[in-house]
Amino acid sequence: MNAPDAPTVRDITRGLMRDLGLTTVFGNPGTTEVPFLDQWPDDFRYVLGLQESVVTSMADGYAQQTGNAVLVNLHSAGGLGHALGAVFGAYRNRTPMIVLAGQQVRRLLPDDPFLGSTEAAQFPKPYVKWSLEPARAADVPLALIRAYQMAMQTPRGPVFLSVPADDWDEPGEPVSAPASIAPPAADPAVVDELAAALRDCERPALVAGPAVVEAGAVAELVELAERTGAAVWIPPMVSRSSFPETHPQFAGFLQPSEPAVAAALAEHDLVVVLGAPAFTYHVHRGGAEEHPRPRGFLISDDPDVLARSRHLRGVHAGLATALHQLLPLVERSGRAAAAGWVRPGLPELTSPPAAEHVISLVHDLLPADAVVVTEAPTHKQAIQRHLPFRSPDQDFHAGASGSLGYGISALVGTALAAPSRPVLGIIGDGASMYGIQALWTAAQEHASLTMLVLDNEEYAAVRVLGEVGSDGKMPGTALGGIDFVAVARGLGCAAHRVEDLAELEQRLRESLAEPGPTVLHVPVAASSRKLY
C-alpha cells in the first residue's frame, strides 16, 4: 500500500504536464485510458474527438498553431492503429506531438490479453522519432520528459509512449521539467563559403521551406532575399508558406517532378534551399539528366534530409540560427532584383463556377490576420495562383504527407488554438469525408471557423492523374450525392449550400465575423487541368 500522501505516477505526470504546457489533451478514450483520465483536473482541457485519426490531426493543427508540443491520448493497439495515418501526417509536417496510448495492465501482458498491444513501442515505427513502453511504472514521468524533449528537438516530430493501465496508481519518483534544447549552429567555415557564393553568383535563387516559418525566421529570410536580389521559390508539397507570396521577388511554386524542378531552377547559377527537402517528388515524368543541376547549398536541421540531398552542399543547422550567422556576412548586392511571378488570370465564369473564382473571392475577403487550412488536392494550383499568403501576417497550413483527413480535423484544432483570429478551411469534398466527425468537436467546443467544401463530385486528383497516358478509364473516382449541409447540421454546425458567387460573398463575410463553426457547401466545376 502507498503512504496516504505519497505522490503517484499520475500525480507527478500531471505536474509535469502543467510545467510543459500540455494541459490541453486531445483524445478518444478506451478502457485502458481510464486510470490516466480518472479525477481529471479542473485546470486541464480534454478535447474529445469521435475517431482516433480525427483527434490526432486536430492535435496536429493545434500544435502547428501554438508552436508547442501537444499530447494525444489514444486507446491501445486498435486505437493507435486507427490513428497511424494521422501520425504519419504529423511526421511529415514536423509536428511536435506526444502520442500517449494506454496498455493493458502489466500482470495480464504475458497472456496476450484482450486490448493488449504486442510490442507496443514498435507499432508506430518508423513514423515516430522515438517510442517507449517504460520498464517500471516509476519511469513514466521520466519517459514523458524525454518524449517532450524528443518531440520539440529539431527536426520536430511525433513520439510515442505506451503506459500500462495499472502504472498510474503506483508510487512515483519526483522529477522536474527540463530546459529547452537549442538548435545546432552552422559550421562558421561553411557559412563563410555560402556568403562568398552569394556574393560571387549572378542569378541566385532561394527555396524557402516550412522550417523557416517554424523557426520564426521569415523576416530574416526576406532580408536575405532583398540583400542578394535572389528569386524565392516555394518547394514542392510543403505544409507551410515561409515567404510572402506577394513580394516582388517571389518566383512561384516548384512542382513535384524532377524535370519540372530542374527546368524552373535552370537559369540560376546558385540555389540555396532553406528548411526543406531537395526535393519532394510526386509523379515520375522522366529524370532530370538532361538538365544539369545547379550548384548550391542546403540548410536543414534534419540529418536525413541532408544525407539524401547529395548534389547540394549540406549545412546542418537550425534555420533561425543559420540566418543569424549568415546575414552579417552578406552585403546588399548591386545586381538587379529577380523579377517576380506573374499570376495567371481567371478562367471564364461558368455555372457552377470554377474553383479559381471561389478562391479568388476568398482572397478578396480574407482578413489580414486570418489562418487558412487547406486540403483540396485537385485545387492546389488554383489556391497557389489565386490565394497568395502574405506571411507572416497570415498563417497557412496544409498536410505534407498526402494522407487525406488532415485538413478538416486540423482546421478544428487550429481554431481551438487561435480563438481570436479568423480561421478558414478550404477542403475538397473527398477529403472532407475522411474526418467529417471533426465537425462534432467544433460544435461542442464552440470553435469559431469557416469551412468551404469545394464539391466537384469526384476524387478529381486521382481521375486527372489517371488520364495521363491512358485511355481515361479510371474506376472509383466518382462521388456526388453527399448533402454536406445536412451532415454538418446533424453534427451541430451552421451550414448553407451556396451556388452563386454573390451569395457566397455575403455568407463568407458573415461567417468570418461570427462566432462558432459554419460550413459552406460550394459546388464547383469539374476539373480538366493537369495537376502538374
Side-chain angles (χ1 to χ4, degrees):
M1 295 290 291
N2 296 344
D5 297 326
T8 64
V9 168
R10 184 193 299 107
D11 297 330
I12 295 169
T13 300
R14 286 179 177 172
L16 285 172
M17 290 169 65
R18 290 186 180 94
D19 293 342
L20 297 171
L22 301 175
T23 56
T24 295
V25 174
F26 291 80
N28 181 266
T31 53
T32 56
E33 288 68 61
V34 168
F36 170 69
L37 300 173
D38 187 35
Q39 302 176 53
W40 192 246
D42 292 338
D43 61 325
F44 280 33
R45 182 184 194 182
Y46 185 88
V47 180
L48 174 63
L50 302 186
Q51 206 263 4
E52 290 89 350
S53 65
V54 169
V55 296
T56 305
S57 290
M58 281 196 289
D60 192 335
Y62 187 89
Q64 289 283 342
Q65 191 62 32
T66 64
N68 191 30
V70 64
L71 193 144
V72 183
N73 184 225
L74 302 177
H75 201 21
S76 53
L80 176 61
H82 287 162
L84 283 181
V87 172
F88 170 63
Y91 183 82
R92 293 297 189 204
N93 290 346
R94 295 169 47 110
T95 302
M97 176 185 294
I98 301 168
V99 179
L100 175 67
Q103 169 67 295
Q104 258 291 7
V105 297
R106 290 182 184 270
R107 67 179 63 91
L108 294 180
L109 289 178
D111 297 317
D112 194 16
F114 183 66
L115 300 180
S117 180
T118 303
E119 298 186 18
Q122 302 300 315
F123 196 0
K125 291 182 176 181
Y127 296 114
V128 290
K129 292 180 61 180
W130 176 82
S131 64
L132 181 71
E133 185 172 279
R136 302 184 307 152
D139 294 332
V140 170
L142 278 174
L144 178 68
I145 287 176
R146 185 168 179 190
Y148 181 84
Q149 290 280 58
M150 291 294 293
M152 290 295 289
Q153 184 176 340
T154 59
R156 294 178 173 183
V159 298
F160 176 69
L161 193 57
S162 172
V163 180
D166 50 342
D167 282 7
W168 297 106
D169 290 312
E170 293 295 311
E173 298 173 0
V175 292
S176 57
S180 60
I181 299 174
D187 181 342
V190 181
V191 176
D192 289 341
E193 183 182 338
L194 172 54
L198 285 167
R199 181 189 65 238
D200 297 338
C201 67
E202 296 181 1
R203 298 175 305 282
L206 307 178
V207 181
V212 175
V213 70
E214 177 189 309
V218 174
E220 289 81 359
L221 177 61
V222 171
E223 178 66 21
L224 180 64
E226 292 177 351
R227 288 190 193 183
T228 60
V232 184
W233 295 86
I234 299 294
M237 315 306 284
V238 293
S239 58
R240 305 291 295 271
S241 182
S242 289
F243 190 80
E245 296 172 18
T246 53
H247 192 283
Q249 289 169 235
F250 178 67
F253 301 87
L254 298 176
Q255 299 305 315
S257 73
E258 292 180 79
V261 169
L265 297 179
E267 67 180 68
H268 302 291
D269 60 342
L270 177 70
V271 174
V272 181
V273 182
L274 303 103
F279 293 97
T280 301
Y281 302 117
H282 180 204
V283 293
H284 182 66
R285 302 272 194 242
E289 293 80 6
E290 67 275 19
H291 303 286
R293 297 183 187 273
R295 68 186 181 96
F297 292 77
L298 168 62
I299 304 174
S300 177
D301 56 20
D302 190 337
D304 288 339
V305 167
L306 293 166
R308 64 177 181 264
S309 298
R310 299 174 299 278
H311 59 288
L312 296 173
R313 179 85 155 94
V315 183
H316 185 210
L319 268 296
T321 304
L323 286 168
H324 289 154
Q325 292 176 265
L326 178 63
L327 278 171
L329 305 178
V330 177
E331 297 181 356
R332 189 168 293 274
S333 170
R335 69 175 70 93
W341 182 36
V342 178
R343 296 178 182 274
L346 292 170
E348 180 182 353
L349 183 60
T350 58
S351 181
E356 286 86 347
H357 285 276
V358 174
I359 293 163
S360 179
L361 178 60
V362 168
H363 171 258
D364 293 341
L365 300 179
L366 198 63
D369 62 340
V371 187
V372 179
V373 180
T374 72
E375 188 172 59
T378 305
H379 310 300
K380 183 179 180 69
Q381 288 197 16
I383 293 169
Q384 291 174 343
R385 290 167 174 162
H386 301 290
L387 187 57
F389 293 96
R390 300 181 290 276
S391 149
D393 299 324
Q394 295 174 343
D395 284 338
F396 161 70
H397 301 272
S401 74
S403 179
L404 292 182
Y406 165 83
I408 185 170
S409 303
L411 173 65
V412 177
T414 299
L416 295 178
S420 63
R421 297 179 64 181
V423 177
L424 173 72
I426 303 175
I427 316 293
D429 53 332
S432 298
M433 294 307 296
Y434 280 73
I436 200 73
Q437 305 97 316
L439 293 177
W440 180 88
T441 302
Q444 295 298 310
E445 296 286 338
H446 307 289
S448 293
L449 60 88
T450 300
M451 174 176 154
L452 297 184
V453 180
L454 301 185
D455 183 5
N456 56 14
E457 299 192 337
E458 62 175 339
Y459 292 129
V462 178
R463 190 260 301 163
V464 170
L465 282 174
E467 289 175 352
V468 176
S470 72
D471 60 6
K473 295 179 180 179
M474 279 292 298
T477 62
L479 299 177
I482 302 172
D483 188 341
F484 287 97
V485 172
V487 172
R489 288 177 178 172
L491 292 170
C493 298
H496 309 277
R497 182 181 174 96
V498 184
E499 302 188 32
D500 176 81
L501 289 177
E503 182 186 359
L504 177 60
E505 179 176 356
Q506 176 187 347
R507 295 287 190 189
L508 193 54
R509 287 185 188 275
E510 292 172 350
S511 62
L512 287 170
E514 293 174 351
T518 299
V519 174
L520 301 179
H521 179 185
V522 185
V524 294
S527 177
S528 58
R529 185 188 299 273
K530 291 183 179 180
L531 290 184
Y532 316 119

